C-alpha cells in the first residue's frame, strides 16, 4: 500500500475537527495484519493489536459503524467478541447497519450501486459469494444512506472511491481513511504508545524493500503529515 504524504485527505481533516462523526470500518481494520508470507518473522497478535490500535480507535471515535456483511466476516473468536462488545455498550460505540433498515425507496438505489460496484470486484450478487462482498455492500449502503467515510486498508475500496468519476461508481461523495492516517491521528493525541504505533506503521508499510523504497520512514512520515495538517492540528475550531 502507498502512503500518501503529498496531498491532504479532507476526510482525515474533518475527523480531526470532529471525531464524533459516523464512519464505517472494513473488516481488515479489525483483523491484525499478518505479513509472514512477505517475510515478516511473525504476525501481530490480536492482544497486541488491540492494545496499540483498536482500543485507542474506539476510545477516540464514538460513532463507528459496520455493514452487516462486514460483521459476518469477523469469524475469529477474539475479533468477533471484540466487535460484539462494542455493539453492546450504552451508548454503542459500534453500530451495525443492516439491509432491512433500508426503506422501499432506498432498496432499488442500493441495488443499483451494487450493480455498478460489483463489475470491478470479484463479488457476484447472483451467488452472493464472500470475496469482496463486505467492501461492495458497505460502499453501496453508505452511498444509498448518504454516509461519507470508510476506514479501509484494501486496494478495492480505495480504487472505487478515488476513481469514482473515471469508473462511474457513483461514489463521488464517499472518502476513504487508511490505517496509516488513523495511526497518525492516534499519535497526535499524545495518549498512546508511540513505539507501538511506530512498529505497526513499519510492519504495515515498510516491511519489504519495495515498500521501504516508496514509503517514508517513520520520522519523515510524521514530519510530512505534520506539514500537511499543521493548520488543523493548531486549531480547535469546529467545522
Amino acid at each position: 500500500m502507498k502512503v500518501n504524504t503529498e496531498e491532504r485527505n479532507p476526510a482525515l481533516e474533518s475527523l480531526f475537527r470532529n471525531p464524533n462523526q459516523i464512519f464505517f470500518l472494513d473488516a481488515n481494520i479489525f483483523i491484525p495484519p499478518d505479513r509472514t508470507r512477505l517475510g515478516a518473522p511473525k504476525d501481530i497478535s490480536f492482544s497486541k493489536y488491540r492494545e496499540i490500535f483498536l482500543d485507542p480507535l474506539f476510545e477516540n471515535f464514538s460513532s463507528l459503524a459496520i455493514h452487516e456483511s462486514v460483521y459476518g466476516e469477523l469469524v475469529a473468536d477474539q475479533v468477533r467478541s471484540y466487535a460484539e462488545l462494542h455493539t453492546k455498550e450504552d451508548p454503542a460505540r459500534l453500530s451495525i447497519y443492516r439491509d432491512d433498515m433500508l426503506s422501499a425507496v432506498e432498496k432499488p438505489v442500493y441495488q443499483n450501486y451494487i450493480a455498478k460496484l460489483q463489475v470491478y470486484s470479484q463479488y457476484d450478487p447472483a451467488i452472493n459469494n464472500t470475496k469482496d462482498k463486505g467492501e461492495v455492500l458497505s460502499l453501496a449502503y453508505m452511498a444509498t444512506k448518504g454516509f461519507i467515510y470508510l476506514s479501509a486498508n484494501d486496494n478495492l475500496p480505495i480504487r472505487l472511491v478515488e476513481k469514482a468519476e473515471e469508473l462511474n461508481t457513483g461514489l463521488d461523495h464517499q472518502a476513504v481513511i487508511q490505517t496509516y492516517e488513523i495511526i497518525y491521528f492516534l499519535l497526535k493525541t499524545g495518549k498512546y504508545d508511540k513505539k507501538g504505533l511506530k512498529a505497526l506503521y513499519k510492519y504495515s508499510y515498510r516491511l519489504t524493500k519495495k515498500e521501504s523504497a516508496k514509503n517514508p520512514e517513520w520520522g519523515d512520515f510524521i514530519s510530512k503529515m505534520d506539514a500537511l495538517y499543521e493548520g488543523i492540528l493548531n486549531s480547535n475550531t469546529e467545522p
Side-chain angles (χ1 to χ4, degrees):
M1 299 294 291
K2 179 73 169 66
V3 173
N4 184 355
T5 56
E6 305 301 321
E7 300 172 305
R8 182 183 292 188
N9 184 350
L12 179 60
E13 181 178 2
S14 182
L15 288 176
F16 268 121
R17 292 186 182 277
N18 179 12
N20 297 316
Q21 300 176 80
I22 293 174
F23 77 92
F24 279 64
L25 302 176
D26 193 14
N28 56 31
I29 297 298
F30 286 92
I31 301 169
D34 180 355
R35 311 195 75 198
T36 52
R37 289 185 297 177
L38 293 176
K42 60 180 180 179
D43 60 1
I44 297 178
S45 69
F46 180 78
S47 60
K48 192 65 177 176
Y49 185 66
R50 172 177 177 170
E51 174 190 338
I52 293 171
F53 187 77
L54 286 179
D55 284 347
L57 175 69
F58 277 89
E59 286 171 10
N60 280 274
F61 301 102
S62 61
S63 301
L64 298 173
I66 53 174
H67 184 261
E68 62 180 341
S69 60
V70 171
Y71 190 65
E73 293 177 0
L74 306 180
V75 295
D77 289 344
Q78 288 179 303
V79 176
R80 181 79 172 201
S81 296
Y82 186 83
E84 186 176 1
L85 173 70
H86 289 292
T87 66
K88 294 181 177 179
E89 289 183 292
D90 187 16
R93 280 188 171 267
L94 180 66
S95 299
I96 303 175
Y97 285 84
R98 305 182 187 279
D99 289 354
D100 61 13
M101 297 164 68
L102 293 166
S103 69
V105 173
E106 291 171 329
K107 286 178 180 178
V109 177
Y110 176 55
Q111 293 301 323
N112 184 53
Y113 276 117
I114 292 173
K116 284 185 175 184
L117 301 179
Q118 63 92 19
V119 172
Y120 303 103
S121 75
Q122 295 183 56
Y123 175 60
D124 184 351
I127 60 175
N128 198 30
N129 59 307
T130 58
K131 182 63 176 175
D132 296 334
K133 178 180 178 179
E135 290 92 339
V136 169
L137 297 191
S138 290
L139 287 168
Y141 193 95
M142 290 170 59
T144 301
K145 285 286 193 180
F147 294 118
I148 300 173
Y149 306 121
L150 172 70
S151 183
N153 204 42
D154 186 272
N155 283 320
L156 177 63
I158 295 170
R159 178 170 179 256
L160 292 176
V161 171
E162 292 186 349
K163 302 287 186 181
E165 184 175 355
E166 177 184 332
L167 301 178
N168 191 32
T169 62
L171 302 179
D172 306 77
H173 300 293
Q174 274 59 57
V176 175
I177 302 160
Q178 296 188 53
T179 298
Y180 70 86
E181 293 172 315
I182 296 178
I183 289 173
Y184 177 71
F185 182 103
L186 297 176
L187 178 74
K188 300 314 289 186
T189 67
K191 298 188 294 185
Y192 304 108
D193 179 6
K194 293 181 181 179
K195 289 184 178 179
L197 292 170
K198 177 181 178 180
L200 179 60
Y201 172 83
K202 291 177 67 176
Y203 188 90
S204 301
Y205 297 103
R206 285 179 56 85
L207 178 67
T208 67
K209 288 183 179 180
K210 183 177 180 180
E211 288 173 341
S212 294
K214 71 179 181 180
N215 292 331
E217 57 84 23
W218 176 253
D220 194 27
F221 165 66
I222 299 304
S223 296
K224 289 182 175 180
M225 293 291 278
D226 283 348
L228 280 180
Y229 297 97
E230 180 181 10
I232 186 64
L233 292 173
N234 294 331
S235 172
N236 293 319
T237 304
E238 291 294 325

